[in-house]
Amino acid sequence: MRKNKEPICEVECFHEEIVTEAQGRMLLPEQSKRLAETFKVLGDPNRVQLINVLTNREMCVCDLAVVLDMSVSAVSHQLRLLRNLNIVKYRKDGKMVYYTLDDHHIERLFKEGLEHISHT
Amino acid sequence: MRKNKEPICEVECFHEEIVTEAQGRMLLPEQSKRLAETFKVLGDPNRVQLINVLTNREMCVCDLAVVLDMSVSAVSHQLRLLRNLNIVKYRKDGKMVYYTLDDHHIERLFKEGLEHISHT
DNA sequence: TTAATAATTGAACAGATATTCAAATGATGG
DNA sequence: CCATCATTTGAATATCTGTTCAATTATTAA
């Protein structure tokens, strides 16, 4: 947040017209927040691997822990995060819990990201 | 990292075959790291607005601060981050510094993200 | 019912991140 | 040269994030 909410009597450097035009092109706060949230969830190497590995496959927590070389607890915490954002869903079978991707939009975004890093 | 590097003599819950198959589909560590970095930089509402506002426009730091309602210093710090990742470039003109986007891949990713949140 | 096991949870901790503040830099004009 | 202004920078701080550890839940089988 800016501190300077007081009347600006002194000379300021901004360009009225450009500022007004740009303000008109701004995203709504709700939009920028959701967009950032969406990207942020993909912004961790372990979650990236998790999402990649769960694409078109179902896997139990324990297998995921072995594959990602993480503790079961750490995996479970990350899965909860993805669950809360409806990115993965789960199916229970006895003691086991099997996870899969539950968001094909995210899949597209993920693939677009992969392409991006491949030609950089 | 997992602690359990000791020989696993006790019963473990993972499924050998599934694990092996999944390991084969893993991204290289370098890939997952870069992919996560790319997404992470888009994972902040202020940076989202910055990138959006700089798309096809050039703007000086002071104008950006007014538009985004942030301090000049905060904007400058964020711009440095984007600069270091070659997402924005700048042009100097006297005391002023004008920034623009410098990465069309990011632009595509950004638009894909926008689409994503619009049908959710 | 008890023991064992897969997974989840919450607290605690270390490390990363975003902002603020004060000081520094670099350019312009008097 | 000096004062001013746009921007950058570094240190300090508060908050957020991801992991670990220990405890808990839920399910199965003895």
Side-chain angles (χ1 to χ4, degrees):
Chain A
M1 292 294 158
R2 282 174 81 227
K3 276 284 176 58
N4 255 22
K5 289 292 191 181
E6 308 94 43
I8 300 167
C9 305
E10 320 142 52
V11 182
E12 283 273 7
C13 64
F14 65 81
H15 308 93
E16 195 68 45
E17 240 180 284
I18 290 171
V19 164
T20 310
E21 187 273 340
Q23 280 169 341
R25 288 187 298 117
M26 294 259 290
L27 302 172
L28 300 172
E30 187 57 31
Q31 282 182 303
S32 66
K33 200 180 138 204
R34 287 218 299 146
L35 193 47
E37 262 170 16
T38 303
F39 284 123
K40 187 181 282 183
V41 81
L42 297 169
D44 174 87
N46 285 336
R47 280 195 299 270
V48 160
Q49 294 280 18
L50 211 36
I51 290 170
N52 177 62
V53 134
L54 287 179
T55 303
N56 305 320
R57 298 286 193 298
E58 131 178 310
M59 235 180 290
C60 73
V61 178
C62 184
D63 284 354
L64 287 169
V66 175
V67 170
L68 301 189
D69 191 31
M70 291 169 71
S71 73
V72 168
S73 177
V75 170
S76 184
H77 278 297
Q78 294 292 15
L79 286 170
R80 177 170 51 168
L81 204 159
L82 298 173
R83 228 164 50 217
N84 290 340
L85 293 165
N86 298 308
I87 290 168
V88 299
K89 64 180 178 220
Y90 65 93
R91 171 179 78 83
K92 284 194 174 183
D93 182 13
K95 295 177 214 167
M96 317 289 284
V97 180
Y98 293 93
Y99 281 86
T100 36
L101 266 203
D102 188 29
D103 186 332
H104 294 290
H105 296 303
I106 282 282
E107 237 170 296
R108 272 188 65 190
L109 205 53
F110 187 83
K111 277 183 191 151
E112 187 79 39
L114 265 178
E115 267 197 55
H116 174 260
I117 63 160
S118 69
H119 26 84
T120 310
Chain B
M1 290 295 158
R2 280 173 84 227
K3 273 286 177 54
N4 255 23
K5 289 291 188 180
E6 308 94 44
I8 300 167
C9 306
E10 321 144 50
V11 182
E12 283 273 6
C13 65
F14 64 82
H15 308 94
E16 195 68 45
E17 239 180 284
I18 291 172
V19 164
T20 310
E21 186 274 339
Q23 279 168 340
R25 289 186 299 116
M26 294 259 291
L27 301 172
L28 300 172
E30 186 56 26
Q31 282 182 301
S32 67
K33 200 182 138 203
R34 286 218 300 146
L35 194 46
E37 264 171 12
T38 303
F39 284 122
K40 188 181 281 183
V41 80
L42 297 170
D44 174 87
N46 284 334
R47 282 196 296 271
V48 160
Q49 294 281 17
L50 255 183
I51 290 170
N52 177 60
V53 133
L54 287 178
T55 302
N56 306 319
R57 299 287 193 298
E58 130 178 310
M59 236 180 288
C60 73
V61 178
C62 184
D63 285 354
L64 288 170
V66 175
V67 170
L68 302 188
D69 192 30
M70 291 169 70
S71 74
V72 167
S73 178
V75 170
S76 184
H77 279 297
Q78 294 291 16
L79 286 170
R80 176 170 51 169
L81 204 159
L82 298 174
R83 228 163 51 216
N84 290 341
L85 293 166
N86 298 308
I87 290 168
V88 299
K89 64 178 180 222
Y90 64 93
R91 171 178 78 83
K92 284 193 174 182
D93 182 13
K95 296 177 214 169
M96 316 290 283
V97 181
Y98 293 94
Y99 281 86
T100 35
L101 266 204
D102 188 29
D103 186 330
H104 294 291
H105 296 304
I106 282 284
E107 235 170 297
R108 270 188 65 191
L109 205 53
F110 188 83
K111 275 182 193 152
E112 187 78 40
L114 265 177
E115 268 195 54
H116 174 260
I117 63 159
S118 70
H119 27 84
T120 309

